[in-house]
Amino acid sequence: MSTSTEEARNVVVVGGGLAGMSAAIEAARHGAHVTIIDKEKNIGGNSAKATSGMNGANTRAQKEAGISDSIASFKEDTLNSGDGLCNVELVNILATNSADAHEFIRGFGVNLVDVVQLGGHSNKRTHRIPPTEDGKPVPVGWTIVSSLKKHIENEMKEKIAVVTNAAFQRVIIEDGRPVGVKYTDAENQAHVLRGAVVLTAGGYANDHTDKSLLEKYVPDLAVYPTTNGPWATGDIIKRTEDINLSLVHMDKVQVHPTGFVEPSQPNHHTKFLAPEALRGCGAILLDPQGKRFVNELGRRDHVSAKILEKCGRFEQKSENPVVAAMLLTDDVINHFGAASAGFYKFKKLIQDVGTLDQLSAFLKVDVDTLKATLSEYNTAAKSGEDAFGKKAFPHAYAESEHFYVAYITPTLHYCMGGIAINTQAQVLTSDAQRLPGLYAAGEVTGGVHGNNRLGGNSLLECVVFGRIAGQHAAHFSSL
Ligand SMILES: Cc1cc2nc3c(=O)[nH]c(=O)nc-3n(C[C@H](O)[C@H](O)[C@H](O)COP(=O)(O)OP(=O)(O)OC[C@H]3O[C@@H](n4cnc5c(N)ncnc54)[C@H](O)[C@@H]3O)c2cc1C
């Protein structure tokens, strides 16, 4: 392999997901010439798959909807969720800059105005996009990513170049300082890009390569299915071992409680995510006995653990995953967005079951048990809290409802661990030194989420720290 070309650009962004695009736009706005490299044919990464929304406190959308929130409460929820492992300074930056991050995204025409409450939050602060006037769903991650991409390709094409099929190989170090990156193209030709570097290549929740980070740090979880795309293999972390980066919380990999189990292929390795917003809109979880067993809006790690503890394997076959039945009604589906739910129905991930008697036959659970489950839920909803600590009850469950069921299973979803950064998104070495000109943002970094990421915090993290990294990289490259 030889170095075939030598190009000079002043900021190089490795990875074209939301963190990378945010960094690139911000760096270009601050005067830099930017190149984004991405190993895939298209940019977007896992960011394009996001379905539940992006968090923010004191946003314009919250104010317009009459939701009273605070930075302090957002910070507290994030820190509580992280079990004392979050980097408090980074969380402070995340929450304080959240409303501005929303303005940044809305500046590209993304209508982030539908605000719901997800698990672990004490308020409605996860922002989604309402369906179109003719009822078509508007997927949040895809829409954000496409809007930024369009902006890059049109308004910023003189300032930002996007090179796809370009796989990062290593950071080039000269005289002990990072000065650019080496990547290979689809023909395995090597190229060099010089400039300040922003690492935004995402996580490793689908890393089953030879030197699998899942096998190394969380061998017990490596067998779980994943919601992540094939690109999520932690390349950056593996290929920067030579520069002694500080890695934090590498054993903190989030298992999302609700990956959809496709009845025709229950063991498929990649799962569609049953978005947390479904539970936020009122979906409840039942064990094989037809009883609720958890606060559906509890933290992801707690809900996942309870499913594994209380539920059985799909169709009672030992080779199948452990599943809970997610119960939905028309009210829940309409609240979530009938059109979005229509996709899951079409894929047979949400099954149209019918009356309570039909539900009883479908779940093979006695109808009186189901009646008792619904009655207990409705009584708790009236009192404002149930035996599992649930305090938000978007919809009652009448016996006369039309019922829908989805089988769900805990699924690898997100890497809380990664490269340590400081509040300026500068990459830190294992002896806590900065590496001048090297920045990182998004899921490739660790420290913001501690032990357990709150739903909706990752898109926000990408925008907040991506922008910070872009600004500082642009400044560095002008020195
Ligand atoms: C199904 C799903 C739903 C989700 N829903 C939400 C949600 O609703 N809200 C929320 O906040 N979070 C959500 N998340 C998490 C969130 O989407 C991601 O954590 C976040 O978008 C990661 O963004 P990123 O820019 O750091 O990485 P990514 O968006 O994954 O982008 C990384 C990019 O780097 C590229 N890359 C990787 N390796 C290399 C290499 N060696 N060389 C060059 N390029 C490389 C990849 O091809 C990819 O394009 C969801 C995740 C999934 C999987």
Side-chain angles (χ1 to χ4, degrees):
M1 193 188 298
S2 65
T3 300
S4 65
T5 57
E6 187 93 12
E7 298 176 32
R9 301 258 180 181
N10 54 12
V11 171
V12 187
V13 176
V14 182
L18 181 57
M21 283 194 258
S22 302
I25 291 170
E26 203 65 29
R29 285 181 179 175
H30 284 76
H33 286 271
V34 184
T35 303
I36 299 175
I37 61 166
D38 198 294
K39 70 177 176 180
E40 293 291 310
K41 198 164 89 188
N42 297 304
I43 58 175
N46 280 336
S47 304
K49 289 170 136 249
T51 42
S52 281
M54 174 166 139
N55 295 338
N58 290 348
T59 64
R60 182 155 50 107
Q62 281 181 318
K63 286 176 190 157
E64 284 166 1
I67 299 164
S68 165
D69 198 4
S70 71
I71 307 283
S73 151
F74 183 19
K75 267 171 31 186
E76 193 181 332
D77 288 347
T78 302
L79 293 171
N80 283 342
S81 185
D83 285 336
L85 287 184
C86 299
N87 178 320
V88 180
E89 285 185 313
L90 297 181
V91 172
N92 191 30
I93 299 271
L94 180 83
T96 310
N97 288 280
S98 63
D100 195 41
H102 276 257
E103 290 306 316
F104 175 82
I105 294 295
R106 289 184 70 174
F108 302 104
V110 182
N111 196 22
L112 280 176
V113 295
D114 187 10
V115 194
V116 297
Q117 181 169 348
L118 296 191
H121 289 276
S122 55
N123 212 333
K124 290 185 180 177
R125 63 168 74 97
T126 306
H127 297 59
R128 312 171 68 217
I129 307 168
T132 58
E133 275 176 16
D134 55 352
K136 290 210 180 83
V138 185
V140 63
W142 175 257
T143 307
I144 292 175
V145 160
S146 321
S147 306
L148 268 63
K149 183 169 174 248
K150 204 164 127 203
H151 181 78
I152 287 171
E153 287 171 351
N154 297 323
E155 279 84 350
M156 301 205 105
K157 62 174 185 259
E158 307 298 329
K159 292 186 160 185
I160 303 178
V162 179
V163 185
T164 52
N165 292 311
F168 168 89
Q169 296 303 327
R170 65 182 173 85
V171 175
I172 300 167
I173 305 284
E174 286 174 3
D175 300 326
R177 297 165 76 96
V179 294
V181 304
K182 183 172 172 183
Y183 71 91
T184 49
D185 64 21
E187 276 76 48
N188 211 22
Q189 288 293 306
H191 303 259
V192 167
L193 290 169
R194 299 182 75 87
V197 176
V198 185
L199 303 174
T200 53
Y204 48 92
N206 198 0
D207 185 17
H208 298 285
T209 58
D210 281 352
K211 290 185 173 177
S212 166
L213 295 172
L214 292 174
E215 290 286 355
K216 180 170 178 182
Y217 291 102
V218 281
D220 292 349
L221 297 184
V223 293
Y224 280 57
T226 183
T227 61
N228 280 211
W231 48 81
T233 47
D235 306 354
I236 299 282
I237 288 170
K238 288 181 277 194
R239 292 179 190 159
T240 47
E241 279 169 352
D242 54 331
I243 50 175
N244 191 27
L245 300 187
S246 168
L247 300 177
V248 290
H249 306 157
M250 290 296 288
D251 60 340
K252 309 297 175 209
V253 175
Q254 183 166 68
V255 179
H256 194 293
T258 60
F260 276 124
V261 171
E262 209 173 329
S264 61
Q265 42 177 356
N267 289 308
H268 197 283
H269 177 68
T270 304
K271 302 284 186 228
F272 279 103
L273 182 71
E276 191 155 333
L278 281 169
R279 282 172 287 134
C281 295
I284 58 176
L285 299 179
L286 303 183
D287 67 14
Q289 289 74 45
K291 295 184 176 156
R292 286 183 61 238
F293 56 92
V294 70
N295 168 8
E296 290 83 0
L297 294 179
R299 283 171 31 165
R300 290 178 174 179
D301 52 353
H302 175 69
V303 181
S304 294
K306 284 289 169 195
I307 293 170
L308 295 174
E309 181 190 331
K310 303 281 183 183
C311 297
R313 293 189 182 269
F314 183 65
E315 292 175 339
Q316 287 95 48
K317 291 186 183 153
S318 58
E319 68 273 24
N320 285 346
V322 173
V323 294
M326 179 186 274
L327 188 63
L328 308 99
T329 62
D330 282 320
D331 282 344
V332 174
I333 283 181
N334 290 334
H335 187 168
F336 174 75
S340 303
F343 170 77
Y344 302 123
K345 285 192 209 162
F346 170 74
K347 299 289 281 177
K348 301 222 177 336
L349 300 169
I350 294 180
Q351 302 185 66
D352 186 337
V353 175
T355 63
L356 189 66
D357 283 335
Q358 286 169 312
L359 179 68
S360 157
F362 184 88
L363 294 176
K364 299 184 185 64
V365 169
D366 174 69
V367 79
D368 288 333
T369 305
L370 290 175
K371 281 183 183 171
T373 297
L374 301 186
S375 163
E376 275 168 30
Y377 184 78
N378 294 335
T379 306
K382 278 188 198 136
S383 77
E385 185 161 1
D386 71 4
F388 308 107
K390 185 168 180 167
K391 292 182 181 155
F393 301 86
H395 299 286
Y397 273 72
E399 291 176 10
S400 56
E401 305 283 356
H402 188 100
F403 292 100
Y404 303 82
V405 169
Y407 285 105
I408 53 86
T409 192
T411 302
L412 294 183
H413 186 56
Y414 181 84
C415 300
M416 273 79 68
I419 299 169
I421 55 168
N422 64 14
T423 54
Q424 298 183 346
Q426 290 171 310
V427 164
L428 302 174
T429 61
S430 57
D431 48 359
Q433 298 300 306
R434 298 183 296 111
L435 276 167
L438 187 60
Y439 305 84
E443 195 173 339
V444 77
T445 66
V448 175
H449 311 287
N451 200 28
N452 182 58
R453 173 179 71 93
L454 274 184
N457 262 358
S458 177
L459 292 181
L460 176 64
E461 167 192 34
C462 288
V463 179
V464 168
F465 290 99
R467 292 180 72 198
I468 291 173
Q471 286 163 18
H472 285 283
H475 177 67
F476 183 86
S477 67
S478 68
L479 294 176

